Each structure stands twice: as structure tokens, then as C-alpha cells.
Amino acid sequence: MSHYDVIVIGLGGMGSAAAYHLASRGQRVLGLEKFTPAHNKGSSHGGSRIIRQSYFEDPAYVPLLLRSYELWDRLATDTGLEVYRLTGGLFMGSPDSLTVAGSQRASREWDLPHEMLGTAEIRRRFPTLTPHPDDIALYEPKAGFARPEMTVQAHIDLAATVGADLHFGEPVIEWGETSGGVSVTTESANYTAGQLVICPGAWAPQLLAEFGIPIRIERQVLYWLDPQGSTAPFVDHPIWIHQGADGMQVYGFPAIDGPHGGVKVAFFRKGIVCTPETIDRTVHEQEIAEMRGRVAELLPALDGPCVHTATCMYSNTPDEHFVIARHPDSANVTVACGFSGHGFKFVPVVGEILADLAIDGGTGHPISLFDPKRLVTA
């Protein structure tokens, strides 16, 4: 039986970053992943994820975002890869919408660079857009996108370089506490360690059942639409999020996949409850038609054919905030889950936080918002 300082279960976005940060601090790390590196079965894929600092979800996230940006930059420098790109970002809707008002609140509270734009100014500066008559926008120059598969692979490669032992295609069957720490059983071996870090993604309900944390898994769909004319107007384009009068948010990216790769768009939180075993990976024609119709209202040039689709999963907590904490009944177990569709931009800093918790038992980062006790009912 092999013994380690820390075992990390799950090597997606959060787990790969945790494995790297732990190994870089001299820990003997075992990483266990049931699929291949940087796979497309969970939540850390799809070519791009929005990064932004004017955080409409809650201003309490901003300090973590500022640190995450520092670590994105370090990751890019250490690897020579474009793991992220700043494009600017437009957050649009009515003045009292969460997308606009929440972004403005966070920007003001943390003195983040931003501009407020009216409808005419949005049209003038960004001619691909036809905002609704009562729409305004917050423009954030430091918004952009990260590349999820590239980021996960970069953290995996760095972790291996500094000594982490990473096993792929090795599903975990069970884990438990021992007198000296923890034990983990997989389909092929048993392992022990002083500490365990669990980053289960959409598999949280199975791996963390004893926590009693309510997490709902939802199927989400990503679409790549071929613009009328060409992708050229969308190459140097900001990321954007638009909230309609019905409260639904739609978001999109620049054209980053070449002249025939289309422009990626999606609904935010328009999902169907599923499990990793029951998710429907087929994207249906009525879904494509609904997406095209909604996006064409805002970006008429995107009323073109759909060239590609993909599915992923959100792991939603009831309040849509994360869970990052030591196990309430064990000083040897740390968990990170329930990232509710907005977690990937935090990958580098969550890796740092998980290393802090596993090694030191605490962290200087503000994570009280993510305490699972808020979600567990007696």
C-alpha cells in the first residue's frame, strides 16, 4: 500500500490546480482521476470560460478574483501558454438587472476600472450588438476568457514536473479515515495519506453523500454559431453577458476557433437536472433554434447555422455559492465542490486555498462564504 502526504480525488479544474500547488510546496501528492487528462465529461471543457472582476454574484468574491488574476498571469508565464486573454467585457441589461446593478456594485465597492454605457454608446462602440432600448452596460476592460482544457493540462503538467504522482483512468470506489489520516480505495489499488482533498465536480452527490450538502447537477449546452458574412467582426470582440426582461442571462465570446469555428454562445443556468450517468449528450434541434433566436435579437449577425455543440454539467448549491472547507468532522479531509456554473475563473486561487487548508489547516483567503454549514439542515 502506497502512502502519500496528500491524495487529491478529481483532477479537473480545481483538483489539477490543487495537485500543482501542493506538490510545488514539497508535498508528496497522489492525484486520482477516473477519466483521461483534461477530459470533456465534466465541467472543465468547452474551449473558453469567462473571467471577470466586476462580480455581480457578490462583491465578496472580488479579493479572490484579484488573486486569481495574479495566478493566471503566473501560469501563463510559467508555461508560455495563452491560458487566458483579456478582451474586455460588456455586462448588459436594464439598469436594475442583477447583471448590470450587481456588476456596478462590485466595481464601486472595490474601485475596479469600468465604464457605464448607454444604448447608443453600446451600438457605436460595438456595432455587432443591437441592445434593447432600455439596456445599459457596464464595460470592464479586464474581463476576458480562460481556456479550460489548456489550463487543466497546464496544471497537470506542472504538478507532474514538481513530483506529483498522477493516475488517470483510475476511479475511486471509496474513501475513509484511518488512525493516521485517510485511506482511498480505487478499482486497482489501496492508498493512504495524511490528508485528502476531494474535488468531485458533478460526482459530488456520490462521493460526498455523508456531508449532507444539497447539490443539484444540471445539464448545460454550449453552442457555436457561424456568423453571417464571416467571423471577422467577432475576432477582436469583448466577452458579453446579457440579461433579458425575463431574467434569463445569455453570454458569448470572441471568435477564437478560426474562420470556420463559429462564435460560442450559451444560456446561463438554463439547465435540466441530471446525473453524470443520465446526462443527455445529444443537443436537439429545438434547443439550437431557441438559442439562435435569442442571440439573434442581440447580435443579428449570429443568426447563422450552428457548427458545433457540446454539453457540460453545473453542480449547483441552493444559494449558488461554492463549498470550500475542511470536513466538519475530520481535520484530514478538505472538499471543494458546488461551483454552480461560475467557478472556473477561480481555478488558480482555489488550488492555492486547497493547498493552504490541507497543509496548514486554514487559509488567509476570505472563504467564510463557502462554509458548507450554511447549507446543512439539522
Side-chain angles (χ1 to χ4, degrees):
M1 182 181 292
S2 300
H3 185 79
Y4 295 84
D5 296 324
V6 187
I7 296 174
V8 179
I9 298 177
L11 295 174
M14 306 306 176
S16 63
Y20 165 61
H21 280 280
L22 285 160
S24 70
R25 299 189 199 179
Q27 299 292 295
R28 186 169 183 237
V29 175
L30 170 65
L32 296 170
E33 168 58 55
K34 70 184 298 181
F35 298 112
T36 56
H39 62 82
N40 64 356
K41 303 295 193 297
S43 304
S44 298
H45 61 279
S48 55
R49 288 289 186 277
I50 286 176
I51 59 174
R52 53 192 167 88
Q53 296 180 355
S54 55
Y55 219 59
F56 56 74
E57 286 85 348
D58 195 311
Y61 285 88
V62 174
L64 296 175
L65 287 162
L66 297 177
R67 177 56 177 164
S68 199
Y69 268 55
E70 293 175 353
L71 293 171
W72 281 115
D73 191 54
R74 182 187 299 177
L75 184 62
T77 299
D78 289 348
T79 61
L81 299 172
E82 190 192 46
V83 290
Y84 78 103
R85 183 191 302 174
L86 300 185
T87 62
L90 282 167
F91 310 119
M92 298 173 283
S94 64
D96 61 350
S97 65
L98 174 65
T99 303
V100 175
S103 298
Q104 191 172 23
R105 176 188 171 203
S107 295
R108 287 174 172 171
E109 185 168 325
W110 291 99
D111 196 25
L112 302 173
H114 70 284
E115 299 176 67
M116 300 306 300
L117 309 178
T119 305
E121 186 67 4
I122 297 170
R123 290 174 179 267
R124 185 187 70 80
R125 289 176 55 175
F126 305 101
T128 57
L129 292 159
T130 58
H132 301 170
D134 63 342
D135 281 345
I136 65 170
L138 182 143
Y139 176 75
E140 179 192 330
K142 290 189 176 181
F145 65 88
R147 299 179 183 270
E149 295 93 336
M150 186 184 293
T151 297
V152 172
Q153 190 64 57
H155 278 132
I156 287 170
D157 292 343
L158 287 174
T161 298
V162 292
D165 189 5
L166 307 178
H167 296 190
F168 296 92
E170 188 170 344
V172 170
I173 297 173
E174 63 180 0
W175 62 271
E177 292 188 82
T178 68
S179 58
V182 296
S183 65
V184 176
T185 302
T186 71
E187 289 186 347
S188 56
N190 296 314
Y191 307 98
T192 60
Q195 292 286 323
L196 177 63
V197 175
I198 307 177
C199 302
W203 287 262
Q206 295 99 306
L207 274 175
L208 301 176
E210 73 285 353
F211 271 56
I213 300 171
I215 294 179
R216 185 182 69 256
I217 309 304
E218 289 187 354
R219 167 187 180 269
Q220 304 288 333
V221 182
L222 314 172
Y223 307 80
W224 284 257
L225 303 179
D226 190 20
Q228 296 176 0
S230 76
T231 57
F234 293 91
V235 171
D236 295 315
H237 199 278
I239 61 93
W240 54 270
I241 301 173
H242 181 267
Q243 184 170 346
D246 59 358
M248 180 62 67
Q249 292 168 306
V250 182
Y251 64 95
F253 296 83
I256 64 174
D257 298 314
H260 305 294
V263 174
K264 180 183 168 186
V265 297
F267 289 107
F268 187 47
R269 303 193 189 287
K270 191 177 188 299
I272 298 172
V273 176
C274 67
T275 70
E277 293 73 34
T278 63
I279 182 174
D280 182 1
R281 297 288 184 180
T282 300
V283 179
H284 303 278
E285 287 300 321
Q286 67 269 25
E287 294 178 300
I288 295 171
E290 182 182 13
M291 184 81 260
R292 286 182 58 197
R294 185 59 174 263
V295 169
E297 297 175 8
L298 187 68
L299 297 98
L302 288 188
D303 190 19
C306 184
V307 298
H308 177 56
T309 60
T311 58
C312 71
M313 289 178 283
Y314 284 4
S315 303
N316 298 311
T317 62
D319 60 8
E320 297 173 356
H321 295 309
F322 311 156
V323 171
I324 305 174
R326 280 290 190 97
H327 191 297
D329 300 317
S330 174
N332 301 317
V333 181
T334 301
V335 298
C337 61
F339 288 95
S340 301
H342 64 111
F344 197 86
K345 59 185 71 63
F346 297 89
V347 156
V349 72
V350 169
E352 186 172 67
I353 290 167
L354 294 175
D356 291 344
L357 294 174
I359 297 171
D360 304 323
T363 180
H365 290 295
I367 63 168
S368 60
L369 183 62
F370 312 137
D371 190 330
K373 293 176 183 176
R374 75 188 194 275
L375 302 172
V376 180
T377 57

